[in-house]
Amino acid sequence: MPKETFLKLNPEKRKKITDSFLREFSTNNYDDASLTTVVKSLGIAKGSIYQYFDSKLDLFLYLQSECGAIKAKYIMHLKRDDYPDFWAYFKALYREGIKFDLNHPLESNFLHSLAKHIHAPSLKELTKKWFDQVIGVMCSWIQHEVDIGHFRDDLPVKSMAFFLYTVSISIGDYMRTMHGLNLDENIKSGKPVYAAQKGQILLQSVDEYIAMLRKAFEK
Amino acid sequence: MPKETFLKLNPEKRKKITDSFLREFSTNNYDDASLTTVVKSLGIAKGSIYQYFDSKLDLFLYLQSECGAIKAKYIMHLKRDDYPDFWAYFKALYREGIKFDLNHPLESNFLHSLAKHIHAPSLKELTKKWFDQVIGVMCSWIQHEVDIGHFRDDLPVKSMAFFLYTVSISIGDYMRTMHGLNLDENIKSGKPVYAAQKGQILLQSVDEYIAMLRKAFEK
DNA sequence: TAAAAAAATGACCAACCAGTCACATTTCAT
DNA sequence: ATGAAATGTGACTGGTTGGTCATTTTTTTA
């Protein structure tokens, strides 16, 4: 949690600082991301950071929760029951995700690059917790579909959840590969991850994935 | 490529050195892996490493190619045409992979942890090349199955290859999650990645994955 | 306006790292 | 046995980092 001093900062300065660190963590491993570099580029003193946050980790966690909260606003209001099947819901999640990216490119970049941090020694326990949570959510999704007879019931729910998790987080990379995007460059320059592309083309990727996932899961 | 000096070393010493570095790179990011630490634990001088290799990268690449070559011996002799369908072949690949792990735990650990290194800044170009190669191989597998009418032909081959790639590299993590293994601990202690488990139980995981993949890909 | 509280500063610290190189030791050929 | 070639060494360089803290500057309070 950031200290009071940081929260009392005028919003512009706060945003400037936040943005710079989002960029740094988006293009580097946690352990390789350098506070010194960011502080220099911001033109503020290193000591200031430690008046705003307890530690590098504190700063990182703050960024993570802020970005998560913003993205949640786009996604949380979607309800499975408003869609005829799970895959319509799944696609809607991605549709909102792309909106989020266009409106909050830096935050999206940061979340998108979280996979990079998973193997950082300093974050091992944290990422394990996060992973278990995500798998938990997916398990409950899938269990529900099994219960109403939409999904197959001959495999462990957890296996299916893991499969879905893996495939889901890979869709971003998949878009890059298939549509020739250069995510890393967009991240560095601060452009939206999917800047040059229309949402429609990107959703086509999601459709292709769904075409496979649907068959894999259906009864 | 290692220097002559290294290749002329007596095999035991060479193995001792190789093993220690395999362990270090298996439990750390490339950039965080420390030659200094390994050299201390080996009781040899830092300078010696630079009589054996040009650089840290040179050493890393040597390890990678050595481990790859050993694993290739287990896998390369398998031919798709010797199996009734792709999935029998796919399963055979994993069966041999598990054998490889039991016989060469450290090398298997190292290859298994390569995913960690993918995001290391110093290795970006290399891993991109490696990734393109793997996708290329999978494309040719899939194209063949499409040609003989076993796989669906309504999706881009590359999409399917990417899907298969993602799922394939996740099977290791999947086994850990589903069978409660602690891979990282096994890696640190130098035990086989799948030490406590019988191959049969592990192949069951592969079967579950195949049950989903088969449906996703079939015509 | 003066005193007190809050915020910003940057030189400094200890701990790392990959890589170097002049020198010591071992091995090998004559 | 002797000299040359090949190996091994570890203090050292120049760099990095996250984090600290006495001091200065700015803001708030009275």
Side-chain angles (χ1 to χ4, degrees):
Chain A
M1 280 220 303
K3 299 184 183 170
E4 263 190 78
T5 315
F6 180 70
L7 300 170
K8 276 192 270 176
L9 241 45
N10 80 65
E12 286 122 56
K13 185 167 184 184
R14 212 169 57 213
K15 186 158 176 12
K16 237 182 167 177
I17 292 173
T18 309
D19 285 359
S20 292
F21 279 108
L22 285 176
R23 238 187 230 105
E24 179 71 8
F25 281 116
S26 296
T27 48
N28 290 97
N29 285 328
Y30 175 80
D31 287 299
D32 298 320
S34 160
L35 305 192
T36 314
T37 306
V38 174
V39 152
K40 265 184 206 157
S41 88
L42 277 169
I44 65 174
K46 183 100 144 281
S48 296
I49 298 303
Y50 288 88
Q51 293 225 294
Y52 304 151
F53 300 93
D54 286 329
S55 63
K56 188 183 187 181
L57 185 61
D58 187 38
L59 163 59
F60 181 79
L61 292 179
Y62 167 72
L63 295 175
Q64 189 170 13
S65 76
E66 278 298 292
C67 293
I70 297 174
K71 179 153 192 181
K73 271 196 252 166
Y74 283 77
I75 282 181
M76 289 293 282
H77 71 92
L78 299 176
K79 299 283 169 234
R80 161 68 179 91
D81 291 342
D82 296 338
Y83 299 88
D85 65 28
F86 176 78
W87 302 112
Y89 173 59
F90 189 78
K91 187 173 176 181
L93 287 173
Y94 271 91
R95 196 180 300 124
E96 289 300 304
I98 289 170
K99 267 193 218 166
F100 164 68
D101 172 66
L102 292 171
N103 296 340
H104 303 277
L106 279 174
E107 287 81 358
S108 176
N109 293 345
F110 178 80
L111 292 179
H112 195 275
S113 68
L114 272 185
K116 277 185 193 170
H117 305 293
I118 282 186
H119 296 293
S122 329
L123 297 177
K124 229 190 113 183
E125 282 193 25
L126 271 152
T127 51
K128 196 176 150 34
K129 252 188 210 162
W130 175 79
F131 172 82
D132 288 344
Q133 270 185 347
V134 176
I135 290 290
V137 169
M138 295 204 164
C139 275
S140 63
W141 284 354
I142 290 166
Q143 186 62 58
H144 179 250
E145 301 302 320
V146 172
D147 290 345
I148 62 177
H150 286 191
F151 281 4
R152 64 197 294 174
D153 56 7
D154 63 328
L155 292 175
V157 169
K158 211 174 173 185
S159 313
M160 295 170 73
F162 202 92
F163 192 94
L164 182 62
Y165 163 80
T166 303
V167 172
S168 296
I169 59 166
S170 88
I171 291 190
D173 290 333
Y174 170 74
M175 287 174 178
R176 180 187 57 197
T177 302
M178 298 308 289
H179 298 287
L181 304 178
N182 192 327
L183 295 190
D184 275 358
E185 275 197 9
N186 285 349
I187 286 174
K188 267 184 203 135
S189 64
K191 280 192 285 185
V193 179
Y194 311 120
Q197 308 295 321
K198 295 266 180 209
Q200 209 46 48
I201 296 178
L202 294 168
L203 281 174
Q204 190 184 310
S205 301
V206 180
D207 282 334
E208 287 168 8
Y209 260 69
I210 288 177
M212 292 184 270
L213 283 169
R214 169 176 269 135
K215 294 282 183 184
F217 284 5
E218 85 184 352
K219 196 153 190 164
Chain B
M1 279 221 304
K3 300 184 184 172
E4 263 190 79
T5 315
F6 181 69
L7 300 170
K8 275 193 271 177
L9 240 47
N10 80 66
E12 286 125 56
K13 184 168 185 184
R14 211 169 58 213
K15 186 157 175 15
K16 236 180 167 179
I17 293 172
T18 310
D19 285 359
S20 292
F21 280 108
L22 284 176
R23 239 187 230 105
E24 178 71 8
F25 282 116
S26 296
T27 48
N28 292 97
N29 285 329
Y30 174 80
D31 287 300
D32 298 321
S34 159
L35 305 192
T36 313
T37 306
V38 174
V39 151
K40 264 184 206 157
S41 87
L42 277 169
I44 65 174
K46 183 99 148 278
S48 295
I49 297 303
Y50 289 88
Q51 293 226 297
Y52 303 151
F53 300 94
D54 285 330
S55 63
K56 188 183 186 180
L57 185 60
D58 187 38
L59 163 58
F60 181 79
L61 293 178
Y62 167 73
L63 295 176
Q64 189 169 14
S65 76
E66 278 297 294
C67 293
I70 296 173
K71 179 153 192 181
K73 271 196 252 165
Y74 283 77
I75 282 181
M76 288 293 282
H77 70 93
L78 300 175
K79 299 285 169 231
R80 162 67 181 90
D81 292 342
D82 296 338
Y83 298 88
D85 65 27
F86 176 78
W87 303 112
Y89 172 59
F90 188 78
K91 186 174 177 181
L93 286 173
Y94 272 90
R95 196 180 299 124
E96 289 300 303
I98 290 170
K99 269 194 219 166
F100 164 69
D101 172 66
L102 292 172
N103 296 340
H104 303 277
L106 280 174
E107 287 80 359
S108 175
N109 292 345
F110 178 79
L111 291 179
H112 195 275
S113 68
L114 272 186
K116 277 186 194 170
H117 304 292
I118 282 186
H119 295 293
S122 329
L123 297 178
K124 227 191 115 184
E125 282 194 25
L126 271 150
T127 51
K128 197 178 150 31
K129 251 188 210 162
W130 176 80
F131 172 82
D132 288 344
Q133 270 185 347
V134 175
I135 290 290
V137 168
M138 296 205 163
C139 275
S140 63
W141 284 355
I142 290 165
Q143 185 62 60
H144 179 250
E145 302 301 321
V146 172
D147 289 345
I148 62 178
H150 286 191
F151 280 5
R152 64 199 293 175
D153 57 7
D154 62 328
L155 293 175
V157 168
K158 212 174 173 186
S159 312
M160 297 170 72
F162 202 92
F163 192 94
L164 182 62
Y165 163 80
T166 303
V167 171
S168 296
I169 59 167
S170 87
I171 292 190
D173 290 332
Y174 171 73
M175 287 174 177
R176 181 187 57 199
T177 301
M178 298 309 288
H179 295 110
L181 303 177
N182 193 327
L183 296 189
D184 275 357
E185 276 198 8
N186 285 348
I187 286 175
K188 267 184 202 135
S189 63
K191 281 192 283 184
V193 179
Y194 310 122
Q197 308 295 320
K198 295 262 179 215
Q200 207 47 47
I201 296 178
L202 294 169
L203 281 174
Q204 190 185 311
S205 301
V206 180
D207 281 335
E208 287 169 7
Y209 260 70
I210 289 177
M212 292 184 268
L213 285 169
R214 168 178 269 137
K215 294 283 183 185
F217 283 5
E218 84 185 353
K219 194 151 192 166

